Amino acid sequence: MKKEKESLKAKKKDSKLVKKIKQNMYKWHRTLGIITIIPVIFWCLSGLMHPFMAHFFKPEIKNEKLATTPIDKSQLHFSIQEVLQKNGISEFKNFRIITFNKATFYQLKTVKGELLYFSTVDAKPLANGDQKYAEWLSRYFLDDQKSGVKNSLILTDFTPQYKYINRYLPVYKLTFDRPDGMQIYVETSSSKLASFNPVSRQVFIWLFDTFHNWSFVDAISNNSLRIIFMIFFLSIILFSALSGILIYGFLWKQFNKTDSLASKKGLRRYHRQIGIWISIFTIAFGFSGAYHATTKWKPYTLSKMVYEPTLKSDEIKVSPQNVITDWNRLENFNLIRFNDIVYYRCQLIVKEKYPEVKEKWGKNKSSKSEIVYVNAITNKVCPKLDFEYAHFLSFYFSGDTPKDACCEVGGESESDSSLEDIQLLETKVITDFKSEEYGFANKRLPVVKLAYDTPEKTTYFIETSTSKLAAVITNSNRLEGYSFAFLHKFLFMDWAGKNIRDLVMVLVALSVLLVCVLGLILFFKKK
């Protein structure tokens, strides 16, 4: 009898303890939920806009790329050396050849970074040439020769409408006088379309930036505080979801017996059932969102990662017209300095796949484009220099002191072994965005991939045509990237197709929103 009484007392104590824990857990769960109700609604509704924009309001443009055509050699009446001499220019950064409005020009980048245009026929400068070329490019991409230009300006920094995701800087922004209010962003130095936004997309960008990225915090404070707020609320959402799983999942039967108010009928039943099913996605959204936010502490600097040594006119002995290359396929060329030698970097139009490069450049060495380097002093061809130049640039961008590399065909320098100090695991040309590691968000193509055998497996993606760093990826970047891609953007469902993936994302976001609304109703019913 004594043992039975002690057992009953223990059960009563356990019952009171469980009831007390449950009441506190309910309070914690309800408090956490009510704190995050507005952020969750903002995030869900703004997140829903992405698939809607992609399927129902996706903007279209006639031409996304400039048509590839060979340089017309017959138009090169004056060499670049003659143009420089006639216009009193002794130093510059680079040049290339462009054609627009039925005329051919040397596009010259000055030491100050300006783009000047000189006719290849008479060597005369084109007044406001860069602005004229930007408008010509915009009209070409838009296929609109009639609409007026309301506004034209140069952007040297990213803006709320032209986000860092677009990568290219500096760019021209042209606003056209059309019913759709189209804004075109072009990079004249590469003749590329950076972005295009009709009014519908401008509204979407504002809404998404305001309610998903919380740019309004930036407006009243700074980026650091915005990130802190986002991580704080996302952490609370995680705890709210976990407490909900504990209450309504693992301990529901035990707690339900001790709480006469906790009926499984009506709103509470739906809140519980839907919440449990959707909790894993809530945790995935919250965790990946907070993890992604931690990467935003540092400012975006890739647009400034470019190698642009000053060149002198007397460093170029070979005129463009005399460069030894296949002029029938020569798309364009520019200059690079490598090992104190200036080269013409010739990019040839691809007509077929070329053999794999089999030298010292690691595994999977494939190329779908042909790049040829020609010594600007001796006119000697150096066909495989692109990988070595990319290797040089990776050292340059890493802040290390790059050492000399072999640059002439058939010979090796004494310092060539220095390139082997860090083993290359993989080197290849990337010509598409099919890789999860280097996706469409990186914008630049083609690039050379250089994967190094470092503890972080550091990989550089170099755009040798502009001598720019397109991306640098480490294991920590990969981990965060995969987290965001699979847990936030549902790329694990790519096997089902983009339409199904987007549909699932919409249903999940709506379910999370429904759980929050039901929880809010229950909160006020308790009052």
Side-chain angles (χ1 to χ4, degrees), residues 238-417:
L238 285 174
F239 286 122
S240 178
L242 290 171
S243 63
I245 293 173
L246 185 61
I247 293 170
Y248 295 113
F250 295 102
L251 304 176
W252 177 251
K253 290 183 179 179
Q254 184 180 3
F255 285 170
N256 190 43
K257 294 176 182 178
T258 63
D259 192 351
S260 59
L261 297 175
S263 173
K264 289 194 286 185
K265 296 180 180 180
L267 295 176
R268 182 179 296 276
R269 174 185 172 187
Y270 295 125
H271 179 70
R272 176 201 170 207
Q273 292 179 343
I274 300 174
I276 290 175
W277 279 104
I278 213 69
S279 59
I280 186 67
F281 295 107
T282 306
I283 292 171
F285 280 141
F287 171 77
S288 58
Y291 193 6
H292 188 64
T294 62
T295 66
K296 305 301 180 182
W297 292 107
K298 296 181 180 179
Y300 179 82
T301 58
L302 273 183
S303 60
K304 299 177 181 178
M305 301 297 281
V306 56
Y307 175 62
E308 289 185 314
T310 298
L311 304 175
K312 296 181 179 180
S313 57
D314 58 8
E315 291 183 277
I316 310 169
K317 301 299 182 183
V318 179
S319 64
Q321 300 93 318
N322 296 325
V323 171
I324 298 176
T325 188
D326 185 353
W327 281 86
N328 292 322
R329 295 193 293 123
L330 181 60
E331 178 184 350
N332 216 320
F333 48 50
N334 59 298
L335 299 173
I336 67 130
R337 176 184 280 157
F338 183 42
N339 294 336
D340 292 327
I341 299 175
V342 177
Y343 295 87
Y344 283 98
R345 182 188 182 277
C346 307
Q347 185 155 334
L348 306 182
I349 298 172
V350 180
K351 289 188 176 180
E352 59 181 339
K353 294 183 179 179
Y354 291 89
E356 291 188 354
V357 180
K358 295 182 179 178
E359 288 294 327
K360 56 186 177 180
W361 296 106
K363 302 176 182 178
N364 301 324
K365 304 168 286 289
S366 62
S367 175
K368 292 184 179 180
S369 62
E370 186 178 18
I371 307 298
V372 176
Y373 287 73
V374 179
N375 190 307
I377 301 293
T378 65
N379 212 10
K380 288 184 179 180
V381 178
C382 195
K384 299 172 185 177
L385 191 62
D386 207 41
F387 288 108
E388 297 192 29
Y389 183 56
H391 184 62
F392 162 84
L393 290 176
S394 67
F395 274 75
Y396 177 81
F397 293 130
S398 71
D400 202 349
T401 302
K403 299 178 182 180
D404 290 346
C406 171
C407 55
E408 292 295 335
V409 177
E412 289 192 1
S413 66
E414 293 181 358
S415 59
D416 183 54
S417 60

Side-chain angles (χ1 to χ4, degrees), residues 103-264:
T104 303
F105 300 90
Y106 288 112
Q107 183 192 65
L108 186 79
K109 190 167 189 178
T110 68
V111 175
K112 294 181 179 180
E114 300 172 316
L115 292 179
L116 304 180
Y117 295 72
F118 300 92
S119 171
T120 60
V121 175
D122 58 19
K124 293 181 179 179
L126 177 67
N128 299 320
D130 205 35
Q131 185 173 347
K132 290 177 181 177
Y133 187 49
E135 182 176 340
W136 182 88
L137 283 173
S138 300
R139 292 189 182 280
Y140 173 85
F141 293 131
L142 199 55
D143 193 26
D144 184 348
Q145 304 299 324
K146 297 180 180 179
S147 300
V149 177
K150 293 175 63 177
N151 190 27
S152 175
L153 56 95
I154 300 175
L155 299 182
T156 55
D157 292 300
F158 296 109
T159 69
Q161 279 292 316
Y162 185 73
K163 310 292 290 183
Y164 77 94
I165 193 69
N166 295 296
R167 297 297 194 268
Y168 298 112
L169 276 180
V171 294
Y172 270 87
K173 173 188 174 183
L174 287 90
T175 304
F176 285 85
D177 188 10
R178 293 165 31 127
D180 61 1
M182 182 65 79
Q183 295 175 345
I184 303 289
Y185 299 84
V186 294
E187 185 184 57
T188 54
S189 62
S190 64
S191 304
K192 289 183 178 179
L193 173 66
S195 185
F196 60 98
N197 299 331
V199 170
S200 59
R201 184 166 175 79
Q202 294 169 36
V203 173
F204 160 75
I205 291 173
W206 182 87
L207 289 172
F208 191 84
D209 197 39
T210 302
F211 297 107
H212 210 84
N213 296 332
W214 291 18
S215 62
F216 62 88
V217 179
D218 268 345
I220 60 177
S221 183
N222 56 59
N223 181 59
S224 297
L225 188 61
R226 178 179 69 89
I227 295 170
I228 291 171
F229 277 165
M230 292 183 75
I231 294 175
F232 172 73
F233 282 108
L234 286 166
S235 300
I236 292 178
I237 289 171
L238 285 174
F239 286 122
S240 178
L242 290 171
S243 63
I245 293 173
L246 185 61
I247 293 170
Y248 295 113
F250 295 102
L251 304 176
W252 177 251
K253 290 183 179 179
Q254 184 180 3
F255 285 170
N256 190 43
K257 294 176 182 178
T258 63
D259 192 351
S260 59
L261 297 175
S263 173
K264 289 194 286 185

Side-chain angles (χ1 to χ4, degrees), residues 431-449:
T431 58
D432 54 50
F433 295 121
K434 294 180 181 179
S435 168
E436 294 291 346
E437 188 177 38
Y438 189 80
F440 71 93
N442 294 291
K443 297 296 188 213
R444 298 186 180 276
L445 282 179
V447 294
V448 176
K449 175 183 178 180

